Amino acid sequence: MIKPFKTILTITATIMLAAFTQLSQTPERPKYDSQELSDKEGIPVIMKHLPDWKNKVNEAIFITNSADLEKALGDRPIFEQIEFVGGAEAVAANYPEGRLLIVEYASPQASSETDSAIRMKLAESSPTPPIFYKRIGNYNVFVFDGDNETAAIALMDKIKYQKVVRWLGRDPHVRRRAEQSFIKTTSSLFVATVIVIVSGLGISVLLGIIAGFIFFGIRERKRMRMPTFSDSGGLTRLNLDELTPPIGPDGMLLKD
């Protein structure tokens, strides 16, 4: 009777030990509910695109919904144009230039549509203090509560979108890029042609002046080497028209 009881007790203890071991080995749930986490730091990749991110990562706020966005930056009318759909996420951090917000969308289409809505909203109203905005790849970037536009733009320029953007359908900007490329190429060709023509004319004039000076110098040196002479009184003229009176032995004209 005791032996079966010991067997049951041993089996129960073994099962409990295995369960405890399994629970202890269960991976810890990630701190951030992000679409893309950094393998090394375990933080959302978007946070690593903050300017000076190593010093800002501990105070930066990761955002995945409108409620968190309003909690982090307050209730702002421009936030009506931002929708956290399709895996969109954002990060906010404070800088001397202002409060920076980066919103990332999973596709360029979503980012482009949000960009159009934001620009239209900003054109309709003039918020005070001003909102500085820029689209960088799939990032829609804001600087709030700043009063220096140059500093805000410089802060946004530090953000680099390093992912490859692929449109799921036809790229709506392909025609505009083609037009810009054509204009740039044509302008460069026109400027290069004008420069070549003007340079050719300038070089021709310069070479002509140099050749003229050389030719004049050669002629002048030849003239200086020629002996000085005078034909005074020794001029010979054929008196075919019989208008010139005869010349005497002393070189004087004879009179009738």
Side-chain angles (χ1 to χ4, degrees):
M1 185 70 181
I2 298 177
K3 189 174 181 180
F5 177 76
K6 288 184 177 180
T7 303
I8 295 173
L9 185 61
T10 302
I11 294 174
T12 303
T14 303
I15 294 174
M16 292 180 64
L17 180 61
F20 178 78
T21 304
Q22 183 66 25
L23 289 174
S24 63
Q25 293 178 352
T26 301
E28 184 181 355
R29 185 177 179 180
K31 180 180 178 181
Y32 300 99
D33 184 16
S34 174
Q35 298 289 327
E36 187 177 8
L37 291 175
S38 172
D39 295 334
K40 183 178 180 180
E41 292 82 8
I43 61 175
V45 174
I46 189 175
M47 297 181 72
K48 297 181 67 174
H49 289 180
L50 287 168
D52 192 23
W53 70 271
K54 291 184 179 180
N55 293 325
K56 292 292 181 179
V57 65
N58 292 328
E59 62 183 74
I61 303 174
F62 181 66
I63 302 167
T64 56
N65 54 66
S66 299
D68 291 343
L69 178 61
E70 183 176 341
K71 182 179 179 181
L73 296 172
D75 185 12
R76 302 173 187 263
I78 195 65
F79 290 161
E80 297 176 0
Q81 314 304 321
I82 301 176
E83 296 182 359
F84 289 89
V85 294
E89 52 192 30
V91 63
N94 294 330
Y95 291 86
E97 296 84 351
R99 307 180 73 180
L100 179 67
L101 172 67
I102 304 176
V103 183
E104 181 183 13
Y105 286 90
S107 67
Q109 289 92 334
S111 179
S112 178
E113 291 173 0
T114 303
D115 176 69
S116 300
I118 290 171
R119 292 185 183 278
M120 186 178 299
K121 183 69 175 180
L122 292 176
E124 292 175 354
S125 60
S126 299
T128 304
I131 298 175
F132 305 107
Y133 169 76
K134 183 178 182 180
R135 183 187 174 204
I136 306 171
N138 283 4
Y139 290 162
N140 299 79
V141 185
F142 301 82
V143 175
F144 299 100
D145 304 334
D147 55 2
N148 189 325
E149 182 178 4
T150 303
I153 293 175
L155 177 65
M156 291 188 288
D157 287 341
K158 295 179 182 178
I159 301 171
K160 306 299 181 184
Y161 188 81
Q162 300 174 339
K163 299 179 182 179
V164 178
V165 178
R166 291 186 175 90
W167 290 85
L168 300 179
R170 183 178 180 273
D171 186 352
H173 304 296
V174 63
R175 178 174 296 180
R176 185 178 64 181
R177 285 200 295 268
E179 291 176 353
Q180 292 176 348
S181 177
F182 175 76
I183 293 173
K184 184 177 180 180
T185 303
T186 305
S187 301
S188 301
L189 180 61
F190 175 77
V191 172
T193 303
V194 172
I195 291 175
V196 170
I197 293 174
V198 173
S199 300
L201 291 175
I203 293 173
S204 299
V205 172
L206 181 61
L207 292 177
I209 294 174
I210 294 174
F213 274 108
I214 294 174
F215 180 76
F216 178 79
I218 294 174
R219 290 291 300 272
E220 186 67 15
R221 285 195 295 271
K222 286 184 177 180
R223 189 185 67 81
M224 295 297 294
R225 288 196 296 267
M226 294 176 64
T228 304
F229 66 93
S230 174
D231 60 350
S232 176
L235 179 63
T236 302
R237 182 179 184 277
L238 296 177
N239 191 17
L240 299 178
D241 51 6
E242 297 182 353
L243 295 177
T244 303
I247 300 174
D250 56 356
M252 302 297 292
L253 295 177
L254 299 178
K255 297 182 179 179
D256 294 338

